[in-house]
Amino acid sequence: MAGEALEELLGRPWRSDRHDADIPWVKTMLSTEERRLLYALAREYASAQGAIVDAGCFLGGSTVALLAGVRDRARRWDGPPVASYDLFRVDPATISKYFDDPISAGDSFRARFDANVAGFGVPHVVHEGDIAEIGWTGGQIEVLFLDVLKTWELNDAVVRDFFSSLVPGRSVVVHQDYGWGWQPWIPITVELMGDSLRLVDWMEYGSHVFFVQGDIPASALDGVSGLDLDAKLELMQRAVDRSEGWVRGMLEIGRASLLGERDGSGVGQRELARIAERYAEYPSVQLCLSYAGRDHESLRTLASNL
């Protein structure tokens, strides 16, 4: 059964554009390829034995793709409702690009989200607030889309509450921010989970898709923020060694930030300068580097917009 599931994923049905017209458009930070991915997972892969979790939905780009996929299934969905999570509060960095009507930082955009995701006729529950406080119900999760892991603490909370409900040999984890340099906790967590996760695809400058092929080690469910810097760097180096191209450049930025924390800012800055030269051909890496030295809130804001 697990072999069949993996074979289906490795066929990467989301790479076709044949269903683009079936995915309603809303303003979103996701690429067309990422929305195809979510649609295909909901329409063709999910079996309804577990839930589909949409964690970090913003204005509904991911939600619409998932709901459309559930709506268009050959057989009516009889599984748990699609579960969406977000704070639904305006970040100032998003206003000019994603909001046409007058709106201010900190305002709620929940009404805009609700309008975007209405009318699909699909079971859907929306959780507004801090996902670390809300948590998960404990039921099985078949598809876990993650665009909410913006801090070490949030990462650990989601891993603790959600990953124990993943089903070995069936579940899929979509890490939208795996390849963003200022979020090293994500690749570190993936490395700590070892062979239980298998990378099956990645989107250009976007989501990485992992198949849960085995039991996730209990130690990994404790999170990674409590690891010492040497352990974090060792795991980060493993991630760098298995990557290439723009992803490798991004992961090297994450490693540089950890080196700077351990060995001093001068070491970190020299490493970032080396990365800038080595990865000059990759605009996304250069964009990420341009935020070096900014405060944590600036980095969190940029990460939420990628």
Side-chain angles (χ1 to χ4, degrees), residues 6-306:
L6 178 58
E7 183 177 357
E8 183 178 352
L9 289 171
L10 290 175
R12 301 179 180 95
W14 48 84
R15 291 192 175 185
S16 168
D17 63 359
R18 67 186 185 277
H19 291 304
D20 281 2
D22 300 319
I23 309 172
W25 183 87
V26 300
K27 286 189 175 183
T28 179
M29 301 174 187
L30 300 181
S31 67
T32 298
E33 290 77 13
E34 289 172 304
R35 297 173 74 239
R36 288 174 186 164
L37 163 69
L38 298 176
Y39 178 86
L41 289 175
R43 182 181 186 272
E44 302 172 18
Y45 181 78
S47 68
Q49 296 176 26
I52 296 174
V53 175
D54 169 38
C57 51
F58 189 45
L59 289 170
S62 56
T63 320
V64 162
L66 291 167
L67 294 179
V70 172
R71 177 199 63 193
D72 295 344
R73 293 169 62 86
R75 297 180 59 184
R76 184 178 179 84
W77 178 263
D78 58 0
V82 175
S84 295
Y85 291 79
D86 208 283
L87 290 172
F88 298 106
R89 295 292 168 180
V90 174
D91 191 302
T94 66
I95 293 175
S96 62
K97 186 173 182 180
Y98 296 102
F99 296 96
D100 296 325
D101 301 331
I103 198 165
S104 300
D107 287 352
S108 173
F109 58 82
R110 175 65 187 272
R112 291 167 170 81
F113 170 84
D114 288 342
N116 287 339
V117 305
F120 286 91
V122 169
H124 182 210
V125 59
V126 182
H127 300 283
E128 180 174 355
D130 186 345
I131 191 171
E133 296 178 0
I134 298 169
W136 178 241
T137 62
Q140 291 186 342
I141 298 174
E142 199 166 8
V143 176
L144 178 58
F145 171 71
L146 295 172
D147 192 11
V148 72
L149 307 180
K150 308 305 183 185
T151 67
W152 291 96
E153 294 76 19
L154 266 178
N155 177 80
D156 285 1
V158 170
V159 167
R160 181 180 61 249
D161 292 346
F162 289 75
F163 275 63
S164 59
S165 294
L166 297 173
V167 182
R170 186 63 203 173
S171 295
V172 178
V173 178
V174 181
H175 270 302
Q176 207 284 324
D177 287 318
Y178 179 91
W180 179 242
W182 300 116
Q183 297 188 36
W185 45 86
I186 297 176
I188 288 172
T189 298
V190 169
E191 291 301 318
L192 194 62
M193 292 181 177
D195 292 338
S196 64
L197 298 184
R198 173 170 174 172
L199 179 66
V200 296
D201 201 8
W202 67 28
M203 312 289 104
E204 188 71 15
Y205 304 127
S207 294
H208 282 54
V209 188
F210 296 90
F211 175 62
V212 182
Q213 63 181 0
D215 292 326
I216 295 173
S219 59
L221 298 177
D222 293 333
V224 297
S225 61
L227 297 176
D228 63 41
L229 281 168
D230 287 339
K232 290 175 180 176
L233 278 162
E234 180 182 350
L235 291 164
M236 197 70 198
Q237 186 62 54
R238 289 186 203 171
V240 169
D241 289 343
R242 69 173 77 247
S243 63
E244 60 185 18
W246 69 270
V247 180
R248 187 181 181 98
M250 289 291 200
L251 297 183
E252 288 190 21
I253 292 173
R255 183 184 60 188
S257 69
L258 295 172
L259 283 170
E261 185 177 350
R262 188 189 69 177
D263 301 333
S265 60
V267 172
Q269 290 299 325
R270 286 192 294 274
E271 182 65 6
L272 291 175
R274 182 195 65 80
I275 295 167
E277 182 176 355
R278 180 175 180 180
Y279 296 93
E281 64 184 294
Y282 295 105
S284 65
V285 176
Q286 298 302 313
L287 174 64
C288 190
L289 285 166
S290 73
Y291 280 75
R294 301 202 179 188
D295 60 30
H296 175 78
E297 182 64 20
S298 296
L299 297 178
R300 188 199 66 78
T301 296
L302 183 70
S304 71
N305 283 307
L306 204 72

